[in-house]
Amino acid sequence: AASGAVGWSGRFEYLPVALLVLLCWRWSRSRGEALGVGLAYYGAASFGLVHGASLFFGSATGSSSAGVMVWVGVSALLAIPWALLWSPSFRTRASSRVIHGILLGLVLLLPPVGLLSGVNPWVGGAAAMPGLGVLGLLLVTVSLLAPDKKTWPAWASALALVSALACGNYEPAPSMNWAGVSTRYGALGDRSPAEQYDMAADAWRRASMSDADVVLFPEGVGGTWTPSTASLWALEAQESERGPVWVVGAMQGDARGQRNGVGVVGKGEPYFWSQRLPAPIGMWAPWHARHVKSDLLRPSVEVIQGRRAALLLCFEQFVGWPALQSALEGAEVVLAPANLWFARGTNLNAVREVTLQSWGALMGWTVVEAING
């Protein structure tokens, strides 16, 4: 619980503390203890879900049974692999610990669990091994799980040395002339057309003050994306002296359902770039009239202004698979819009921030954010 609470307290330099849960897992004496380790870790790290999910689902106080159910359900679901992949041979065989640890890491990063697996302790490994990519995650796993009573000082020293060298030689991705426009509009649902236009006009005014080549707007600020809406945003973008590209968070609906994503205007014909992974239950809910469709199989990278840009939209910034997919597709820059009005007073935005920072450090990405709070 302490490794989850401290590691995910919102400070980037504290993230490696989350890795200590791997030591607790390897020292477990039964599957029941391994399950308890997972429950304690995820419960402490994701406690902000109680307040955030409660507000999202309509509670005025930020406390509801729905919020508690989401928190408990997610924690329990993510703890199950820790129990299933524990083995009695951990006590005597380093190879068993390492192999099962690698399998656990893959389960938490790859679908289907990787579609829900937030506050992933391997993200802490990313913070400790900037610039080393997947090799860094493998080094952390082996260094924590392979040592026994006699060899752990040597392993710990080697891990500290490699981490120090990686941090010392790490150079952040070069800054680009891309910028995000964050807002404080609160909840965006059920706004009237007049209110949506007023928000858009405010966003246009703020964007016109930027000299960036690409301007990113938060999730949902563009309202419903239609040909008329796209033309309006494109006209405003073209009136800017620099002729920038604007990337606008919006929803697109048709007879087959809704999609969440961003509209891209300013160069060529406007187009809609859909989100791969809407938030389960809150958005992706096939049983509900407001179901938002997923687009998991679409490529995650588009070329914008000559750079390979990946879109990580809100929920996708918390979990492992979307970031890993974008890395495999050769992303250079990550566009990270979000609508987190319901996260005020919780650690959810801090978790999102440090997760993005870690992936950016590990993969050498430039990250551009735009948040509506």
Side-chain angles (χ1 to χ4, degrees):
S3 70
V6 175
W8 293 99
S9 60
R11 298 288 294 273
F12 182 73
E13 60 270 27
Y14 292 173
L15 259 184
V17 174
L19 289 168
L20 297 180
V21 70
L22 292 176
L23 298 180
C24 298
W25 179 62
R26 65 165 284 181
W27 290 331
S28 299
R29 294 165 294 184
S30 67
R31 292 192 191 279
E33 283 193 5
L35 180 66
V37 165
L39 283 170
Y41 171 79
Y42 286 113
S46 62
F47 186 71
L49 277 175
V50 176
H51 184 84
S54 295
L55 288 178
F56 187 89
F57 288 114
S59 169
T61 62
S63 178
S64 70
S65 58
V68 173
M69 289 174 62
V70 169
W71 172 58
V72 172
V74 169
S75 299
L77 182 65
L78 295 180
I80 290 173
W82 295 73
L84 296 179
L85 287 169
W86 179 88
S87 170
S89 61
F90 280 9
R91 289 187 180 184
T92 56
R93 293 173 53 196
S95 60
S96 175
R97 296 193 297 268
V98 171
I99 291 171
H100 283 243
I102 292 172
L103 288 174
L104 178 61
L106 291 174
V107 166
L108 294 177
L109 284 172
L110 301 178
V113 179
L115 303 180
L116 290 172
S117 180
V119 293
N120 191 324
W122 272 267
V123 174
M129 297 288 178
L132 295 188
V134 176
L135 176 61
L137 300 181
L138 183 61
L139 285 172
V140 166
T141 305
V142 173
S143 299
L144 289 176
L145 299 179
D148 54 27
K149 290 181 179 179
K150 294 181 180 180
T151 60
W152 75 262
W155 277 100
S157 300
L159 179 63
L161 178 61
V162 173
S163 179
L165 290 173
C167 293
N169 293 322
Y170 172 68
E171 295 183 4
S175 60
M176 303 185 305
N177 196 25
W178 295 30
V181 174
S182 291
T183 58
R184 298 282 290 181
Y185 297 149
L188 298 176
D190 299 321
R191 295 291 185 105
S192 69
E195 289 175 315
Q196 290 187 24
Y197 182 85
D198 288 341
M199 287 191 302
D202 178 61
W204 298 336
R205 178 186 59 79
R206 298 177 61 185
S208 66
M209 299 168 61
S210 171
D211 62 355
D213 295 324
V214 176
V215 180
L216 176 67
F217 297 88
E219 177 188 23
V221 166
T224 302
W225 198 256
T226 65
S228 298
T229 306
S231 298
L232 199 58
W233 280 87
L235 180 63
E236 292 294 330
Q238 290 166 5
E239 289 186 356
S240 175
E241 294 181 2
R242 296 181 60 87
V245 171
W246 285 2
V247 182
V248 187
M251 295 283 287
Q252 187 181 62
D254 55 32
R256 295 172 295 178
Q258 297 184 95
R259 276 192 163 85
N260 190 29
V262 293
V264 183
V265 300
K267 299 287 185 182
E269 289 295 318
Y271 65 94
F272 188 78
W273 186 359
S274 60
Q275 181 184 30
R276 289 166 285 162
L277 185 61
I281 303 177
M283 297 181 74
W284 185 87
W287 58 89
H288 197 279
R290 291 190 175 185
H291 166 56
V292 178
K293 301 177 72 173
S294 66
D295 212 351
L296 279 176
L297 300 182
R298 71 151 292 150
S300 68
V301 172
E302 299 272 353
V303 177
I304 298 178
Q305 298 285 63
R307 305 297 295 270
R308 294 183 61 79
L311 176 66
L312 294 180
L313 182 53
C314 202
F315 180 73
E316 295 172 334
Q317 298 166 29
F318 290 89
V319 295
W321 171 245
L324 186 59
Q325 180 189 359
S326 298
L328 294 173
E329 292 181 12
E332 299 174 90
V333 56
V334 167
L335 298 172
N339 181 19
L340 292 174
W341 60 270
F342 55 87
R344 296 177 188 174
T346 75
N347 71 334
L348 294 179
N349 192 43
V351 167
R352 183 197 65 82
E353 284 271 4
V354 295
T355 301
L356 276 176
Q357 281 184 276
S358 292
W359 280 107
L362 188 72
M363 300 300 177
W365 290 334
T366 299
V367 179
V368 183
E369 301 177 63
I371 312 300
N372 176 61

